[in-house]
């Protein structure tokens, strides 16, 4: 029984760098197109891929991710497609973790989801709208199928909640660095570093990865200075959106971004 | 129990309360909190502030005074005998929330939440709105208490309810048309949550219905239960008995919970929620969440919702913007599951038939939302017969709907009041009101809802 995510994060740490975690939603511009972009990200240095489940009401996402996900939802992309992307990422040599709002999992069936995710080679799940208090059935299913569960912490989290949330995590804890929805930001605020510090203080053994806002190598290097992993979402989605449906161009652009960010996570700016 | 005294205002937010939700906001298996962690601190803050406020005499006194002097409570109970002739001879009493300041029950909740906003020291409120009634009420309370106010409204709804958009702007609120997704209430809620998660330090989210994450379903219910508390006492005082059934329309379900709550312990009283059946549940174009949906998670709580096999929310359809919502409050899901309340769909055509009938028989123009409850009364009255006593919640007035109704009935310009084909209600009571066929014909003639 071991955590795939914890393992890869321990490995990158041993090499004196942060992990690069790329998010892309399944189904934009098509299922195949999204898989091609994920694989390109892996081939260019992404250590972990957050395989996004499209959802009709993505309350935590900004306009970039909404736009891509909307296309996927309209196309009827479902969990079977997501599991196919998970397999493709694993085959490409990175660790896939599913990023999903909770209702698609409930609808699919929590136990069935856990079994199928494990069979597909998925490490576990990041759940932006599921807090540990409501996660009983998922925690049980994840335990049974040896899957990681990544919950979020935010700058507004009290120390007590940081402690209880990290206690429920396995793999890593996702530090949502800024208050707000997903989207690239010009600067990485110092709220992220403070949050990571507070989180480490209550959960010294757990890797902390930072998301929300990173879009280039310099920002990645800055975050890599204080976090175990750098999560990049909207910037990847932006590159694919800019390819305007061209699968080859989208994948190539995702690959180029991954290569750039991969230098950033190896070039840590000391905290 | 048959005590008939109107509870003093100071006691209105305190027991008897239903035994649900539990401390973490669960109504049986429904409710709870399915939210980003970033909002948990704000929801905890609200929960604590609300719990303290609910038993604070100073707050209760201020709230009671506003309800009386500003809203105009208690709202009257009106018997509608000419309308009731179309209800199988049953007697029908209407709880007149349409006579509240701002024109609907929404003000009850908003005043409570606006006072709460002031108490927790925030200067800005945001709200979602469908028909615009909650937006207008929130803009009103914000003006009254000197708070800045932003209202999110689906672009589609800003067109359907242009009058309310103008009202909100007159009241000093910023109205943001939402262009994502289905451009209706569901998407307005998503945008309001996005605003809240970004600006939570300065901003309170004044949620408009008994849905959403804990504590909203409980808190909004407690602010709205004044409807049923008053109505129950009024019916007892006037009739010396309880009604046989209590009816209300259900979108998110706040007016229904508001009038149901006082009657939940009265097991002999049927509670009937009327959902928006749109073109008919079998057509797939409807907003009848409990009738045609299944349990899942939407907008922060587990409840019934309209969803597809992938767990994606399905767009709802209703002539009534205020009921055009693919979710429903978790307490309704619980009341349905334990069999304490029944939920039935009412089609657009049935609702508009009842709408026309109340206008012509009683001189009351109801909100199209509330007309769903009236249609329910017409049907239930025919089932129960002449001895039945029905209490229906007239949750809002129809000024905002004049244009939609004029189109439906083929009356031409909203300013034009010549009766159209579907509006001819000068019939003998025994024939029933406008038939569905006539209403549909009128709709076709008028070009569509």
């Amino acid at each position: 029984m071991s955590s795939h995510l914890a393992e890869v994060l321990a490995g990158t740490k041993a090499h004196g760098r942060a992990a690069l975690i790329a998010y892309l939603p399944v189904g934009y511009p098509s299922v195949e197109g999204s898989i091609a972009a994920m694989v390109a990200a892996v081939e260019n240095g992404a250590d972990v891929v957050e395989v996004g489940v499209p959802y009709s009401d993505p309350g935590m996402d900004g306009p970039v991710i909404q736009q891509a996900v909307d296309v996927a939802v309209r196309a009827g992309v479902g969990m079977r497609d997501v599991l196919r992307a998970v397999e493709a990422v694993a085959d490409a040599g990175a660790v896939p973790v599913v990023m999903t709002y909770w209702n698609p999992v409930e609808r699919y069936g929590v136990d069935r989801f856990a079994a199928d995710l494990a069979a597909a080679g998925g490490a576990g799940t990041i759940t932006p709208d599921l807090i540990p208090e409501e996660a009983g059935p998922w925690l049980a299913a994840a335990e049974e199928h040896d899957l990681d569960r990544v919950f979020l912490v935010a700058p507004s989290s009290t120390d007590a909640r940081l402690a209880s949330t990290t206690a429920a995590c396995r793999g890593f804890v996702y530090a949502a660095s800024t208050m707000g929805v997903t989207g690239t930001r010009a600067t990485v605020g110092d709220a992220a570093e403070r949050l990571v510090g507070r989180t480490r203080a209550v959960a010294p053994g757990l890797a902390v990865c930072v998301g929300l806002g990173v879009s280039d190598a310099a920002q990645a290097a800055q975050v890599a200075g204080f976090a175990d992993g750098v999560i990049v979402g909207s910037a990847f989605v932006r590159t694919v959106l800019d390819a305007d449906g061209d699968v080859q161009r989208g994948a190539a652009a995702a690959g180029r971004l991954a290569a750039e960010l991969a230098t950033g996570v190896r070039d840590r700016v000391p905290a | 129990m048959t005590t008939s005294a109107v509870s003093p205002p100071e006691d209105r937010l305190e027991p008897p309360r239903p035994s649900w939700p539990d401390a973490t906001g669960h109504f049986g298996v429904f409710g709870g909190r399915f939210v980003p962690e970033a909002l948990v601190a704000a929801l905890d803050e609200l929960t604590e502030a609300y719990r303290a406020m609910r038993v604070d005499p100073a707050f209760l006194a201020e709230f009671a005074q506003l309800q009386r002097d500003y809203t105009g409570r208690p709202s009257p109970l009106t018997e509608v005998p000419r309308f009731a002739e179309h209800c199988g001879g049953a007697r029908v009493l209407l709880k007149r929330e349409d006579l509240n300041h701002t024109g609907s029950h929404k003000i009850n909740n908003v005043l409570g939440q606006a006072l709460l906003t002031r108490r927790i020291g925030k200067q800005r409120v945001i709200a979602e709105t469908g028909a615009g009634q909650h937006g207008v009420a929130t803009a009103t309370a914000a003006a009254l208490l000197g708070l800045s106010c932003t209202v999110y409204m689906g672009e589609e709804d800003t067109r359907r309810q242009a009058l309310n958009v103008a009202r909100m702007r007159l009241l000093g609120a910023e109205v943001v048309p939402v262009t994502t997704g289905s451009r209706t209430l569901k998407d307005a809620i998503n945008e309001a949550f996005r605003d809240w998660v970004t600006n939570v330090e300065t901003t309170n989210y004044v949620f408009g219905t008994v849905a959403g994450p804990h504590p909203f379903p409980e808190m909004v219910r407690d602010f709205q239960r004044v409807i049923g508390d008053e109505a129950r006492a009024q019916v007892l005082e006037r009739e010396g008995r309880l009604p046989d059934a209590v009816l209300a329309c259900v979108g998110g379900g706040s007016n229904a919970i508001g009038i149901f709550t006082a009657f939940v312990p009265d097991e002999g009283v049927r509670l009937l929620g009327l959902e928006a059946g749109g073109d008919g549940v079998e057509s797939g174009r409807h907003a009848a969440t409990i009738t045609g949906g299944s349990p899942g998670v939407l907008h922060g709580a587990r409840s019934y919702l309209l969803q597809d096999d992938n767990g994606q929310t399905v767009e709802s359809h209703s002539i009534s913007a205020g009921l055009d919502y693919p979710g429903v409050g978790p307490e309704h899901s619980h009341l349905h599951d334990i069999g304490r309340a029944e939920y039935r769909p009412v089609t657009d055509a049935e609702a508009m038939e009842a709408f026309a009938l109340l206008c012509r028989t009683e001189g009351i123009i109801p909100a199209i939302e509330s007309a769903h409850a009236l249609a329910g009364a017409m049907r239930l009255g025919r089932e129960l017969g002449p001895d039945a006593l029905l209490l229906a919640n007239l949750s809002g007035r129809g000024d905002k709907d004049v244009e939609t109704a004029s189109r439906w009935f083929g009356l031409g310009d909203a300013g034009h009041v010549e009766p159209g084909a579907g509006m001819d209600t000068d019939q003998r009571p025994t024939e029933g009101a406008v038939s569905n066929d006539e209403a549909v014909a009128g709709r076709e003639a008028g070009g569509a809802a």
Side-chain angles (χ1 to χ4, degrees), chain B residues 253-264:
Chain B
S254 71
N255 91 86
I257 284 293
I259 198 164
F260 286 174
T261 297
F263 295 95
V264 165

Side-chain angles (χ1 to χ4, degrees), chain B residues 324-353:
Chain B
D324 198 351
Y325 180 56
V328 67
E331 189 166 4
H332 285 294
S333 294
H334 182 57
L335 290 170
H336 168 74
D337 268 19
I338 64 173
R340 180 62 193 95
E342 311 158 54
Y343 296 84
R344 296 183 182 181
V346 166
T347 64
D348 288 352
E350 291 168 322
M352 293 312 289
E353 175 192 355

Side-chain angles (χ1 to χ4, degrees), chain A residues 1 26 29 32-33 48 58 110 122 127-128 141 145 154 182 204 235 238 249:
Chain A
M1 308 294 258
V26 179
E32 295 315 322
V48 174
V110 177
T127 50
H145 296 279
T182 56
R238 181 81 264 164
R249 261 178 53 214

Side-chain angles (χ1 to χ4, degrees), chain A residues 147-229:
Chain A
L147 292 168
D148 289 332
R149 44 274 182 179
V150 175
F151 297 102
L152 277 65
V153 292
S156 59
S157 303
T158 60
D159 288 345
R161 283 198 64 79
L162 291 180
S164 61
T165 299
T166 52
C169 288
R170 198 188 85 168
F172 67 87
V173 61
Y174 187 128
S177 59
T178 45
M179 295 298 286
V181 296
T182 56
T184 59
R185 288 172 173 83
T187 56
V188 177
D190 57 359
E193 193 173 345
R194 273 205 308 277
L195 175 60
V196 171
R198 291 176 57 220
T199 306
R200 288 198 197 287
V202 297
L206 185 66
V208 185
C209 300
V210 168
L212 298 189
V214 171
S215 63
D216 61 27
Q219 289 177 332
Q222 195 186 339
V223 173
F226 57 83
D228 298 298

Side-chain angles (χ1 to χ4, degrees), chain A residues 54-61 66 76-78 103-104 106-107 128-131 134 152 154 156-157 161 179-181, chain B residues 26 32-38 40-41 180 186 190 194 197-198 200 294 296-298 302 307-313:
Chain A
Y55 179 51
S56 53
D57 296 271
M60 259 204 92
D61 286 309
Q66 282 179 48
V77 172
N103 198 52
E106 282 230 344
R107 187 66 170 166
D129 65 345
L130 185 72
I131 56 177
E134 300 287 354
L152 277 65
S156 59
S157 303
R161 283 198 64 79
M179 295 298 286
V181 296
Chain B
H26 297 91
R33 264 187 199 167
F34 293 81
V35 294
E37 168 65 22
V40 171
T180 53
K186 155 181 108 67
N190 290 335
R194 290 182 185 119
V197 78
T198 308
V200 67
S294 54
V297 171
L298 175 66
R302 179 175 285 117
Q307 59 182 328
D308 68 13
D309 290 343
N310 291 327
Q312 312 295 352
T313 312

